[in-house]
Amino acid sequence: MISFFNVGNSNGLGHWSFFTGKVALLVLVSTTFFQSCTSESNDAPPAISESVQPDGLNVKTINFEGAGGLEKQLLQSTPLGFAEQLANPKRLLLVNDYLVMSDEDPNAMLKVFDLKSKERKDDLGVNGYGPGEMMSTWTVSRGSGAQDFWVYDVQLKALNRYEIGQNEREAQKQISFKETPIGLNSVVYDTDSTFGAFFQDVRSIFTQLNDKGESTERYGSWQTLAQSNQTSIEIIAQVYQGFLSIHPDHTHYALSSTVVGTIHVMDLINRKMYKILGPDGYVPNVSAVDVQGRMTYAPDVENSIHGYISVAFTNNAFWALYSGNQWKGRPGEVFNGERVFKFSLEGDLQAVYELDTPVRCIVVDGENRIIYGASDEAEPDIFEFKY
């Protein structure tokens, strides 16, 4: 079926680059490889299966509904009192006793808060196109030092290094990926010469790059999904796009898919992948769109339910923030969630938490048993949830 479709501003879809501009008329080709469905949770234990991908990678799939047979634990929030200092919070990073908050504030794109004194310590990041400057803050990841961290600017395709306490607002180091193929969605720091990456339209689920932007290793493939759904690998990769995270010991990557309720975790040491499916049993109805000769996908903005919007690692676990909010009628709410799922590094569901305040991103202090979450609602703030 061929139909016609008008697209205006994204209204919340701005993190997909192909929806950020105004397009007068597009050709829409309806596809059937995804069907909308929701299922009532039976809270049964997760179903686990093992498979081998065409590239030989072992994959363990964990499929669960609801709370996966576990009892939800309600967590009470305590605001840290930073509301007047935040504009529009995006990503959080825990760096020892400091919280780094990426914020849509052109005067202070990165705000550093001291958790001991509960005071703002540093303002980092200069908005611009010049050396040491950046235009956006997409992913944040720990560096190799005690107080350094890296920020990926998806707009300029550059990774920027900062260090807390150095009183330097510009990036101390910049690595450009401008020559890297199109679709470089997320980059995280791995080593001084290796970087984890996710592309929207390549064959691998995870890619490792060197500092020249060249691929040195690939993990996982979209090939099986593409074949079973009779669609292109490029469309599959776009559907599963989201945020890339890395374990503090640089042993695991995680991709939290914001459109589909799915998380992919790659164990770099044992070369095994874990695929998490759940908790609502929802799969979006997605259509392919021809945009100037390039096929891309168009979310069903009327009925789509947002998926995983943040993943955080602790030493022996990863924690996933799930939205579960519907696009229709409230696009501003889809990037916030109240449900947090804790998994072992082997993908086993260990705990389910219900937050009393919706947040858009999380980090976890495993030693002190605190989840930190940032809210971007009417009065944005950072909250702590003790578990």
Side-chain angles (χ1 to χ4, degrees):
M1 181 184 83
I2 297 179
S3 57
F4 294 94
F5 171 63
N6 285 301
V7 176
N9 282 331
S10 60
N11 294 326
L13 288 168
H15 65 293
W16 288 290
S17 58
F18 34 81
F19 279 111
T20 56
K22 290 189 176 181
V23 182
L25 191 65
L26 302 176
V27 177
L28 181 70
V29 182
S30 179
T31 61
T32 59
F33 63 94
F34 290 118
Q35 298 296 327
S36 295
C37 65
T38 55
S39 61
E40 293 296 325
S41 169
N42 59 14
D43 276 344
I48 298 174
S49 60
E50 301 268 353
S51 62
V52 179
Q53 288 205 337
D55 58 359
L57 185 69
N58 290 317
V59 179
K60 176 181 176 180
T61 300
I62 299 93
N63 195 337
F64 74 100
E65 294 181 352
L70 301 177
E71 184 177 348
K72 289 183 183 179
Q73 303 175 52
L74 179 63
L75 301 184
Q76 302 291 329
S77 62
T78 301
L80 297 186
F82 301 138
E84 295 182 357
Q85 304 180 57
L86 300 176
N88 189 9
K90 293 300 180 186
R91 298 284 106 190
L92 269 177
L93 182 68
L94 187 63
V95 183
N96 296 323
D97 294 324
Y98 300 100
L99 270 180
V100 178
M101 179 85 256
S102 67
D103 196 5
E104 285 191 351
D105 180 352
N107 298 312
M109 301 179 73
L110 300 164
K111 296 170 181 176
V112 181
F113 298 96
D114 188 327
L115 289 173
K116 289 184 177 180
S117 66
K118 299 294 189 294
E119 295 179 351
R120 188 161 155 186
K121 179 179 177 61
D122 271 340
D123 288 344
L124 303 173
V126 177
N127 185 247
Y129 293 91
E133 298 175 348
M134 60 181 175
M135 291 299 296
S136 65
T137 57
W138 189 245
T139 55
V140 289
S141 53
R142 287 289 303 270
S144 57
Q147 298 193 74
D148 68 320
F149 63 95
W150 295 74
V151 180
Y152 178 60
D153 180 349
V154 68
Q155 189 169 338
L156 298 183
K157 294 178 70 173
L159 194 63
N160 303 273
R161 180 186 181 275
Y162 298 90
E163 187 165 355
I164 298 170
Q166 296 300 306
N167 297 318
E168 294 182 29
R169 295 192 60 192
E170 292 86 0
Q172 294 183 340
K173 185 176 182 179
Q174 259 182 337
I175 298 174
S176 175
F177 296 102
K178 286 184 178 179
E179 304 304 319
T180 305
I182 191 171
L184 183 56
N185 175 277
S186 295
V187 181
V188 293
Y189 173 88
D190 195 346
T191 70
D192 285 342
S193 59
T194 306
F195 308 91
F198 169 71
F199 288 83
Q200 291 177 2
D201 52 6
V202 299
R203 297 178 182 274
S204 57
I205 298 175
F206 299 102
T207 304
Q208 281 187 335
L209 304 174
N210 61 22
D211 56 7
K212 297 180 178 62
E214 301 164 336
S215 300
T216 58
E217 189 77 68
R218 298 182 184 274
Y219 302 100
S221 171
W222 302 114
Q223 183 176 339
T224 301
L225 271 173
Q227 289 176 341
S228 62
N229 293 303
Q230 297 182 335
T231 189
S232 70
I233 289 175
E234 290 75 15
I235 296 297
I236 291 289
Q238 291 168 23
V239 170
Y240 280 84
Q241 68 178 288
F243 293 101
L244 189 63
S245 307
I246 187 170
H247 190 280
D249 294 331
H250 306 278
T251 56
H252 296 72
Y253 295 148
L255 175 66
S256 54
S257 297
T258 53
V259 177
V260 188
T262 305
I263 307 167
H264 289 85
V265 175
M266 181 64 207
D267 182 341
L268 300 171
I269 305 301
N270 298 304
R271 298 184 69 86
K272 185 172 183 177
M273 184 174 292
Y274 300 90
K275 182 179 180 179
I276 310 296
L277 302 174
D280 289 337
Y282 171 81
V283 181
N285 182 14
V286 182
S287 298
V289 181
D290 187 331
V291 182
Q292 297 179 343
R294 179 175 180 262
M295 293 304 294
T296 187
Y297 88 99
D300 177 3
V301 296
E302 287 295 309
N303 303 300
S304 290
I305 296 175
H306 227 48
Y308 289 99
I309 50 180
S310 182
V311 169
F313 281 100
T314 51
N315 287 338
N316 300 310
F318 64 94
W319 308 65
L321 174 65
Y322 185 76
S323 169
N325 290 323
Q326 193 173 18
W327 286 103
K328 187 176 182 179
R330 49 179 190 174
E333 296 179 21
V334 297
F335 293 108
N336 291 287
E338 298 95 13
R339 281 180 281 177
V340 175
F341 299 90
K342 178 188 177 185
F343 300 88
S344 72
L345 293 181
E346 291 74 39
D348 300 315
L349 182 60
Q350 295 183 328
V352 180
Y353 301 99
E354 189 82 22
L355 310 181
D356 71 344
T357 300
V359 295
R360 70 168 300 145
C361 58
I362 59 170
V363 291
V364 181
D365 181 347
E367 182 177 351
N368 295 305
R369 298 181 60 84
I370 298 173
I371 299 173
Y372 292 100
S375 168
D376 64 351
E377 296 195 332
E379 292 188 3
D381 205 341
I382 302 173
F383 297 87
E384 66 174 25
F385 304 85
K386 293 184 177 180
Y387 63 91

